[in-house]
Amino acid sequence: MTIQVGDHLPQVTFRVSGPEGPQAKTTDDVFKGRRVVLVGVPGAFTPACHRNHLPGFVAKREEIMARGVDAIAVTSVNDIFVLNAWQQQSGAEGIEFLADGNAEFAKAIGLEMDGSGFGLGPRSQRYAMLVDDGVVRILNVEDTPSKAEVSGAEALLKVL
């Protein structure tokens, strides 16, 4: 079942980059006591993600944060090494990257998609949500994975 506004995020473990290399971070570690914009993308470096979706959040980061948001996080069904390279190449300092390498989070929130027709395997759908202390307050899911319109930074700013 797909997560809805008002639902609590399920407990999963992401991988993040730490000073000693990859480390585990739970849903509570990321969202408890914080207002976080979470951006879900099908894959790092994929055309719509790399050229259309992430750049808006990089460009609008300060404006989003000024609306009472504590953090912007991006999650993708990629490993943390790929996400680190994507963060660096995209100039996305100040945005947290959460690796969901086995699609556990995407499956747990009901927003996984089958990208095997493109050789991608299980992936996350494209979305943006506002999570307040672990509870989904805004959820914008794209109908088409190649678009970043309702889940883009501009669309989110209109409802924050």
Side-chain angles (χ1 to χ4, degrees):
M1 182 157 177
T2 304
I3 198 156
Q4 302 291 316
V5 170
D7 290 348
H8 285 268
L9 291 179
Q11 285 302 309
V12 299
T13 300
F14 299 101
R15 297 287 179 237
V16 299
S17 186
E20 310 262 331
Q23 65 184 66
K25 235 183 195 183
T26 67
T27 307
D28 277 350
D29 294 334
V30 177
F31 299 99
K32 190 172 185 175
R34 301 169 78 199
R35 283 177 44 103
V36 179
V37 167
L38 178 63
V39 182
V41 299
F45 294 109
T46 59
C49 302
H50 187 64
R51 289 186 283 216
N52 301 333
H53 207 187
L54 180 60
F57 287 94
V58 172
K60 299 289 184 180
R61 181 183 172 279
E62 294 301 321
E63 192 174 342
I64 290 168
M65 302 294 279
R67 305 266 176 107
V69 171
D70 298 309
I72 299 171
V74 176
T75 186
S76 179
V77 182
N78 291 108
D79 62 67
I80 192 57
F81 303 105
V82 169
L83 290 184
N84 285 344
W86 192 35
Q87 180 182 30
Q88 290 172 359
Q89 187 170 348
S90 299
E93 290 79 24
I95 294 178
E96 298 174 25
F97 282 71
L98 308 171
D100 184 24
N102 296 320
E104 293 168 0
F105 183 72
K107 290 174 186 173
I109 63 171
L111 288 174
E112 69 176 304
M113 68 171 216
D114 181 5
S116 58
F118 300 99
L120 300 174
R123 293 292 170 147
S124 172
Q125 291 183 43
R126 185 180 309 284
Y127 62 86
M129 65 172 73
L130 175 66
V131 181
D132 188 357
D133 195 23
V135 177
V136 178
R137 298 296 180 202
I138 297 170
L139 177 60
N140 297 339
V141 181
E142 293 291 345
D143 290 332
T144 306
S146 61
K147 293 184 179 176
E149 296 167 355
V150 301
S151 65
E154 287 289 339
L156 191 63
L157 276 166
K158 291 178 183 175
V159 294
L160 277 179

